[in-house]
Amino acid sequence: MVTCWDINLMSNTDNKAVARGFVQTIFNEGKTDEGKNFVTPDIIYHGLDEVKGLENFKQWVAEDRVAIPDLNITIVDTFGEQDKLAMRWILKGTFAKELRGSQPSHEKFETQGVEIFHFQDGKIKEAWTIFGSMDSFK
């Protein structure tokens, strides 16, 4: 017999797998064309910029990956329930090329942050990014 608790637990486990795959595939590996496997077509991504729609999101990530070619996000922790998931992460990389008007430092940097995901039908519909200092971007 499957209880409501079991269904919520399975959903949360699936969301964690999607979120981890999203970070690894899209950000760490730069495979933006696989975005459709992780996000809804009308994704809204809140970060330094607000990005709406899958194609705009893919372009936004591609620009980040050009500016920070060795970008690597390590997931520290994830937790959530139902259709929401929070993820704590550490980002490391080298700011090598101009990004959104900021001139590159050509130095390695590290920052920590939190991602909050809202899921719909097993995909990320909306995400909010909150992160620490990006001194290398100044």
Side-chain angles (χ1 to χ4, degrees):
M1 178 170 145
V2 177
T3 66
C4 290
W5 172 255
D6 294 329
I7 291 170
N8 285 337
L9 185 60
M10 288 186 291
S11 170
N12 189 30
T13 301
D14 293 344
N15 290 347
K16 284 182 180 182
V18 169
R20 288 179 178 278
F22 170 73
V23 168
Q24 181 59 37
T25 303
I26 305 304
F27 288 97
N28 289 345
E29 297 173 12
K31 297 178 181 174
T32 58
D33 285 338
E34 293 189 29
K36 65 186 178 301
N37 298 324
F38 301 99
V39 303
T40 63
D42 60 345
I43 183 172
I44 302 173
Y45 200 88
H46 308 273
L48 287 175
D49 302 310
E50 182 174 282
V51 181
K52 294 181 178 182
L54 178 56
E55 292 307 314
N56 291 332
F57 175 74
K58 288 168 37 177
Q59 178 63 36
W60 182 79
V61 172
E63 290 170 4
D64 282 2
R65 300 250 335 132
V66 167
I68 310 166
D70 58 345
L71 183 146
N72 190 329
I73 298 173
T74 301
I75 298 168
V76 178
D77 195 14
T78 58
F79 56 92
E81 57 184 49
Q82 298 171 352
D83 63 351
K84 297 278 174 44
L85 180 79
M87 173 184 289
R88 192 165 56 96
W89 48 260
I90 298 171
L91 183 150
K92 294 180 182 181
T94 306
F95 185 22
K97 298 198 189 271
E98 181 183 352
L99 180 63
R100 297 177 190 91
S102 294
Q103 295 304 310
S105 66
H106 303 285
E107 295 179 11
K108 290 193 175 293
F109 72 95
E110 178 178 315
T111 191
Q112 296 184 36
V114 173
E115 199 80 19
I116 301 170
F117 297 109
H118 175 210
F119 287 83
Q120 179 181 356
D121 299 326
K123 292 187 177 184
I124 300 164
K125 177 172 181 54
E126 195 163 8
W128 294 263
T129 301
I130 304 156
F131 56 89
S133 173
M134 297 287 280
D135 290 334
S136 297
F137 283 80
K138 299 190 186 238

